[in-house]
Amino acid sequence: GVPEVPARQVAPRRRSREIHVGPVAVGGGAPVSVQSMTTTRTSDIGATLQQIAELTASGCQIVRVACPTQDDADALAVIARKSQIPVIADIHFQPKYVFAAIEAGCAAVRVNPGNIKKFDDQIAQIARAAKDHGTPVRIGVNAGSLDRRLLQKYGRATPEALVESALWEASLFEEHDFRDIKISVKHNDPVVMIEAYRRLAEECDYPLHLGVTEAGPAFQGTIKSAVAFGALLSRGIGDTIRVSLSAPPVEEVKVGIQILQSLGLRERRLEIVSCPSCGRAQVDVYRLADEVTAGLDGLEVPLRVAVMGCVVNGPGEAREADLGVASGNGKGQIFVKGEVVRTVPESRIVETLIEEAQRLAERMK
Ligand code: SF4
């Protein structure tokens, strides 16, 4: 299962209103959750449920599915019922699908104020239906689909424009006494996105869903998301995150979890502390680090393993970690919990570390 207790915190969390997306609490100090979105046709129930199962196995806690057609809307009830994690229906343009998603038992619906002008006169009915079913609404503002009125006012999708769009939409729901809301204000530029969320965090107490939209292919998107989420989460801002990558959604979840672990907002599992190697290295650090990482894959315990190339920082880091090796002269000193337990030839470093890691993991179970 997903560890609930943060190991340590970078900053006090912003106080936000708590909502519930199915059984997952978002806001109100609940652990920051990781979500993703399916890439299958939602109307293909089998394929969508299969992808949701893969996402669930990778640690995804909330999943969003697109709902652009009536066939997709018709599939929601089965998907929502059979999914192991809460399902959010992602709706642009058509209010009728919002009602369908609420009726289908989706854990939440996402609406985009830039695309839902026609919704304005139907907000009262949406608010009533959502309230009756206990279904929260995500107001998801996107730079790429900002309301034309706001584009004219601000010239482009500035942080102010994104925030105004979100708060205006929220106010329409508030008029009907509906506050079961979370908000996102996504932009593809982390600088604009960070500023938008910072302002939004000050101006409301709704929980915030963080995202850099159209972040790009895996390498670039991972960095953009890590930088943007890091800047916000380190100030306590953000209640649930979605990394957007032009890559399979399971990759988004892995990156999201790693970001939370890096900030101490999620308990770390296996962590390899390996040196970058340098002219002093006396072993092939890259190979050692890769082999140890591969050998320990799937070890479900929090373990810090140090793989160090020489005796300069090696013994220090190895001693600080749960387990480590400091190499020198074709040999490796193996540390367990700060003590040297043996010295082995270089050829046996990897197998010895894996053996010791498994022994430690057994003790921790
Ligand atoms: Fe270089 Fe040794 Fe530091 Fe690795 S531990 S980077 S080999 S000085």
Side-chain angles (χ1 to χ4, degrees):
V2 176
E4 291 294 325
V5 185
R8 59 194 164 80
Q9 300 232 335
V10 279
R13 303 270 306 279
R14 160 183 171 262
R15 278 177 188 279
S16 58
R17 169 190 295 275
E18 181 170 316
I19 67 165
H20 286 89
V21 178
V24 180
V26 175
V32 179
S33 49
V34 173
Q35 46 180 295
S36 184
M37 188 163 178
T38 52
T39 55
T40 51
R41 299 252 170 257
T42 303
S43 55
D44 185 343
I45 295 176
T48 303
L49 284 171
Q50 172 62 32
Q51 197 172 52
I52 292 177
E54 287 161 19
L55 284 166
T56 307
S58 71
C60 185
Q61 293 162 282
I62 297 172
V63 66
R64 193 149 44 99
V65 301
C67 186
T69 71
Q70 186 61 46
D71 285 347
D72 298 315
D74 291 343
L76 291 175
V78 177
I79 293 171
R81 194 171 65 246
K82 294 203 172 163
S83 168
Q84 305 90 325
I85 51 177
V87 173
I88 301 181
D90 189 83
I91 295 157
H92 297 262
F93 306 112
Q94 284 113 323
K96 64 178 177 183
Y97 298 151
V98 176
F99 295 112
I102 292 172
E103 288 293 327
C106 287
V109 289
R110 180 272 171 118
V111 297
N112 177 344
N115 280 343
I116 56 169
K117 275 206 201 49
K118 280 181 284 173
F119 281 22
D120 291 1
D121 51 1
Q122 295 189 56
I123 295 274
Q125 289 152 277
I126 293 175
R128 191 173 325 116
K131 206 184 269 183
D132 287 349
H133 288 78
T135 313
V137 171
R138 165 151 80 95
I139 296 174
V141 177
N142 255 6
S145 51
L146 193 65
D147 193 326
R148 200 175 313 141
R149 179 177 59 85
L150 289 166
L151 269 183
Q152 276 163 3
K153 177 172 169 187
Y154 290 97
R156 65 201 151 83
T158 61
E160 296 86 342
L162 296 169
V163 170
E164 185 173 327
S165 173
L167 293 179
W168 166 75
E169 181 69 11
S171 74
L172 297 182
F173 281 98
E174 287 160 3
E175 278 172 26
H176 302 285
D177 200 26
F178 185 86
R179 291 180 173 75
D180 202 4
I181 291 170
K182 64 182 173 123
I183 301 184
S184 62
V185 280
K186 299 191 184 183
H187 196 287
N188 64 41
D189 180 345
V191 175
V192 179
M193 176 272 195
I194 290 166
E195 182 58 17
Y197 277 98
R198 240 177 34 77
R199 285 169 182 259
L200 186 60
E202 278 172 17
E203 292 187 35
C204 71
D205 71 346
Y206 291 117
L208 302 182
H209 161 121
L210 301 187
V212 176
T213 190
E214 293 102 29
F219 179 73
Q220 177 188 296
T222 297
I223 293 170
K224 274 191 176 184
S225 301
V227 167
F229 295 3
L232 290 163
L233 291 167
S234 66
R235 293 175 182 163
I237 298 170
D239 301 285
T240 181
I241 62 172
R242 191 261 169 124
V243 175
S244 301
L245 300 178
S246 305
V250 164
E251 298 304 314
E252 300 183 343
V253 174
K254 286 192 205 160
V255 172
I257 290 174
Q258 192 71 45
I259 290 172
L260 295 183
Q261 288 181 340
S262 301
L263 290 165
L265 290 165
R266 179 72 69 89
E267 191 187 11
R268 283 196 167 106
R269 291 290 167 103
L270 181 64
E271 184 188 5
I272 307 288
V273 181
S274 57
C275 80
S277 188
C278 73
R280 279 183 289 265
Q282 295 179 349
V283 290
D284 183 346
V285 178
Y286 298 174
R287 186 183 55 80
L288 262 190
D290 280 348
E291 288 181 9
V292 171
T293 305
L296 297 181
D297 186 36
L299 206 65
E300 288 290 302
V301 289
L303 208 57
R304 217 171 130 92
V305 182
V307 178
M308 305 293 291
C310 79
V311 292
V312 173
N313 296 319
E317 289 287 1
R319 208 170 276 133
E320 288 294 308
D322 296 300
L323 180 66
V325 58
S327 314
N329 290 333
K331 290 189 217 122
Q333 278 187 314
I334 306 292
F335 287 75
V336 176
K337 298 283 181 193
E339 304 290 336
V340 179
V341 292
R342 24 186 171 149
T343 301
V344 297
E346 186 177 336
S347 61
R348 296 205 45 231
I349 291 175
V350 173
E351 58 175 276
T352 311
L353 278 177
I354 292 171
E355 249 172 61
E356 293 293 346
Q358 282 164 345
R359 197 170 302 159
L360 272 179
E362 274 309 309
R363 292 208 324 245
M364 292 165 90
K365 273 182 189 156

